[in-house]
Amino acid sequence: MGSTNGYCINVTDLAVRLGNFTIHDGLSLQVRKGEITAVVGASGTGKSVLLKTIIGLIKPAKGTIELFGRNSTALSAREAHEMRRRWGVLFQDGALFGSLTVSENIQIPIKEHFKLSRKIREELSALKLSMVGLDTDVGNKYPSELSGGMRKRVGLARALALDPELLFLDEPTAGLDPIGAAAFDQLLLELQNNLNLTVFIVTHDLDTIHTVSNKIAVLGEKKLLINGSLEEVSGFDHPWVQDYFHGPRSRAVNH
């Protein structure tokens, strides 16, 4: 099913409250099919909260969230379960289960949605590992035996387990050294290109923003400040935006 106006994600007038705190108030954001949108903002602007609200982990106080042209907050339990097949999520540091092998971690969404034999699940897991540039023998290891960069790739393999159309990434390069982060960015670009993915990426990494994003959505003051190209956003007249894109650490944007 196609989405209206070519939007894969359409958030309208969203309000999110956690306890006594209002995180978002009147936030609207559209993500077009096939684009990589980087979501940035100062600490506390609710970037990860927005991601979790879009995928249904946090219930909004008001507003609508359309995914693939359907109001995701108005779906039956069965419809919501089916829709979850269409996206994958990479949480911070991979969020892998330490008591399960890498292969078993990747198989979790496959087991949740499909009745397949163990052999087929293991073959699919090996395929996903190769897609993210890891040897299939990594499947027998436990997360504690892997480097941070490998754990991120395993988390990405699990996010891709159901061949999703839409990928959510929460700070995917956080904690990686610059070489590892750059390799992850290149992998993401290749996957997005080969699989025609729409990607929603929460990040503060200027190199990642510069390398992969088509659009940059800046959160601040409980709403969306601007959503545009790198050129449009870096020219936006707002103190935090100017400091972020033109401050002392902004070399990635200016080279």
Side-chain angles (χ1 to χ4, degrees):
M1 184 184 299
S3 54
T4 52
N5 305 319
Y7 295 136
C8 202
I9 302 171
N10 189 2
V11 177
T12 308
D13 200 25
L14 185 73
V16 177
R17 298 189 182 96
L18 300 178
N20 296 324
F21 292 98
T22 298
I23 312 295
H24 304 306
D25 195 3
L27 187 152
S28 297
L29 171 65
Q30 288 80 36
V31 176
R32 285 191 182 279
K33 186 170 170 24
E35 283 187 340
I36 299 181
T37 294
V39 179
V40 305
S43 296
T45 51
K47 302 181 292 293
S48 296
V49 169
L50 177 60
L51 184 156
K52 289 173 182 170
T53 305
I54 292 171
I55 64 173
L57 294 179
I58 295 174
K59 194 170 172 56
K62 67 166 185 151
T64 56
I65 299 167
E66 287 185 0
L67 295 168
F68 314 108
R70 300 188 67 192
N71 184 347
S72 66
T73 51
L75 300 177
S76 69
R78 187 181 63 81
E79 289 171 328
H81 184 74
E82 285 180 3
M83 187 179 273
R84 281 198 296 274
R85 280 189 202 172
R86 300 176 67 181
W87 72 68
V89 187
L90 171 61
F91 292 107
Q92 291 186 31
D93 196 40
L96 302 174
F97 294 97
S99 60
L100 301 180
T101 65
V102 163
S103 180
E104 288 166 343
N105 266 284
I106 295 169
Q107 291 175 45
I108 288 170
I110 301 171
K111 287 172 80 169
E112 184 190 341
H113 288 277
F114 299 103
K115 288 181 169 58
L116 299 172
S117 71
R118 181 175 173 180
K119 183 172 186 294
I120 290 175
R121 290 200 313 268
E122 287 175 349
E123 286 172 359
L124 285 171
S125 168
L127 173 66
K128 299 305 171 182
L129 281 173
S130 63
M131 281 172 66
V132 299
L134 292 175
D135 292 334
T136 51
D137 63 0
V138 171
N140 299 317
K141 295 185 185 299
Y142 286 88
S144 60
E145 300 175 77
L146 306 180
S147 68
M150 289 173 80
R151 281 199 300 274
K152 302 261 191 185
R153 286 179 182 242
V154 172
L156 184 58
R158 185 175 63 187
L160 294 169
L162 301 178
D163 299 326
E165 303 156 60
L166 174 58
L167 195 57
F168 293 93
L169 308 176
D170 194 359
E171 298 281 6
T173 58
L176 299 184
D177 63 74
I179 293 170
F184 190 95
D185 290 342
Q186 288 305 318
L187 171 64
L188 179 59
L189 278 177
E190 286 171 25
L191 289 168
Q192 192 265 345
N193 191 36
N194 294 337
L195 305 175
N196 195 27
L197 293 167
T198 304
V199 184
F200 180 102
I201 176 170
V202 170
T203 186
H204 64 269
D205 188 325
L206 279 162
D207 284 317
T208 296
I209 292 163
H210 192 264
T211 304
V212 307
S213 61
N214 304 111
K215 288 283 177 64
I216 302 162
V218 184
L219 304 189
E221 297 155 29
K222 301 179 183 170
K223 60 184 191 296
L224 180 77
L225 296 175
I226 184 173
N227 182 22
S229 67
L230 184 66
E231 290 71 28
E232 289 167 333
V233 172
S234 61
F236 184 62
D237 187 15
H238 183 278
W240 185 86
V241 177
Q242 285 302 306
D243 191 44
Y244 186 69
F245 285 100
H246 302 289
R249 303 190 67 176
S250 65
R251 55 167 181 76
V253 177
N254 297 323
H255 63 205

